[in-house]
Amino acid sequence: MKQRSRRIVSRKRTLLYSAVVVVFFAMLSIGFLRAPNVDAAALTWDGGGGDNNWSTCANWTTDTCPVSGDTVTFNSTSTKASTIDGAWGGTVTGITITTGYSGTITLGRSLTVSGAYSQSTGTFDAASYAVDMNSTFTLSGGVYTAS
């Protein structure tokens, strides 16, 4: 009877260990299958596309269009005018317009900036569209025309 009891305990222990191993590998594989974290990018306007639109990825460094977590910079890399067009998503984390950018950024849709906006040169024209700034707004030079 004792031997049978030991075999039952041994089987239960083996089943328990097996269940733990299955759960461990299931959790491990779920971790590997989830989407990777995408770090925010810092993109610079290079104006390399055939138009002035933000939705034309060739207009940005690395030929990548900005998304909501990104910060965009306008500098002397290109002074080509820029249009925040309706085909683009409408939200970025930050906008920085530094010395060297003499072009004009024009809204063709509403814009949300969840982080800082900083302008030291160039022209920003909101036209008749709404601009939602949720952090620091710094205008040290250039022209900013609100809607």
Side-chain angles (χ1 to χ4, degrees):
M1 187 72 161
K2 282 186 176 183
Q3 196 169 17
R4 182 173 179 210
S5 178
R6 284 184 186 153
R7 274 189 260 157
I8 292 172
V9 168
S10 178
R11 284 183 186 154
K12 287 181 179 179
R13 195 174 291 150
T14 302
L15 287 172
L16 177 64
Y17 291 143
S18 297
V20 168
V21 168
V22 167
V23 168
F24 171 77
F25 282 109
M27 291 174 66
L28 188 62
S29 54
I30 289 170
F32 285 119
L33 294 176
R34 70 186 160 132
N37 290 338
V38 178
D39 294 330
L43 301 175
T44 301
W45 177 260
D46 64 18
D51 57 29
N52 296 348
N53 295 333
W54 278 37
S55 65
T56 301
C57 296
N59 282 325
W60 299 97
T61 53
T62 70
D63 293 338
T64 304
C65 289
V67 295
S68 62
D70 296 341
T71 299
V72 297
T73 299
F74 292 81
N75 58 24
S76 60
T77 301
S78 174
T79 59
K80 180 179 176 181
S82 164
T83 302
I84 301 174
D85 62 294
W88 177 71
T91 301
V92 289
T93 295
I95 296 177
T96 304
I97 306 168
T98 66
T99 302
Y101 183 75
S102 58
T104 299
I105 302 166
T106 305
L107 289 186
R109 63 154 300 131
S110 60
L111 171 68
T112 298
V113 181
S114 61
Y117 176 95
S118 174
Q119 181 178 350
S120 61
T121 189
T123 301
F124 184 94
D125 183 3
S128 62
Y129 295 95
V131 180
D132 182 11
M133 305 258 184
N134 295 307
S135 188
T136 309
F137 176 84
T138 305
L139 180 62
S140 59
V143 176
Y144 182 92
T145 305
S147 54

